[in-house]
Amino acid sequence: VSPAQKALMVKMVREGIHPTPVTLAIGDGANDVEMIKEAQVGVGISGREGLQAANSADFSIAQFRFLKRLLFIHGRWNYRRMSKVILFSFYKNIVLVLTLFYYQFIAGFSGTSLYEDYLQSCFNIFLFLSPVMIGLFDKDVPAKVVEEFPELYQSGLCQLDLNQYTMIETVVLALFNSFIVFGFPALRSEE
């Protein structure tokens, strides 16, 4: 099979199946580079045929036997971490914007800002540590447990951590918390 045919096969799977699957291509040589680039996730195995596949892939492993750990353990952890980071980013920015929105009713839509300029511009700098720590260190179960129970991988396949319901839950929580963050100080200032 030629390199172009391999890439076309990946493209055909990605575009021809509904619901659209996430494609993974694994290769170990220069003839696999096009296929790896066509897939949404590419894994290159460095070996006897050189480093071309490993250099053009999203992930590189030294031996094929490391693929199971990469997919089932690190893939699962990465999905869960990224889901939490995305939801947290939406949450904190919704809370910020809604408190500014509520303040405009008190300020008579004059354009006066609730926060000092430096505080508003540094908001994400102050809160960057939480998603970074989640992204780096969050592990809901140890690697050994994931190896013993591959059913745990279903959380990613079924999109249990990031779907429309978790997004709605996050938005509702942000609405509620923005009322609290804005409401209590506003009530105290009226007294």
Side-chain angles (χ1 to χ4, degrees), residues 110-184:
S110 64
T112 307
S113 180
L114 174 63
Y115 305 113
E116 293 288 333
D117 289 337
Y118 72 90
L119 182 64
Q120 191 170 346
S121 63
C122 295
F123 177 74
N124 285 322
I125 294 172
F126 293 143
L127 294 176
F128 89 100
L129 201 55
S130 298
V132 168
M133 292 299 126
I134 289 171
L136 290 176
F137 300 114
D138 182 51
K139 296 178 183 176
D140 60 334
V141 291
K144 199 171 247 182
V145 174
V146 178
E147 284 179 349
E148 291 176 21
F149 301 101
E151 303 87 32
L152 292 172
Y153 192 73
Q154 290 293 322
S155 66
L157 293 174
C158 298
Q159 298 177 345
L160 298 179
D161 296 313
L162 186 62
N163 56 43
Q164 64 186 15
Y165 301 110
T166 56
M167 188 58 95
I168 290 169
E169 180 182 354
T170 301
V171 169
V172 169
L173 183 64
L175 282 166
F176 178 72
N177 287 341
S178 67
F179 280 127
I180 291 172
V181 167
F182 179 76
F184 284 131

Side-chain angles (χ1 to χ4, degrees), residues 17 47 82 84 87 102 107 109 130 147 168 172 179 187-188:
I17 297 176
M82 291 305 298
K84 289 178 182 181
L87 291 173
Y102 303 148
F109 294 96
S130 298
E147 284 179 349
I168 290 169
V172 169
F179 280 127
L187 290 174
R188 295 290 295 172

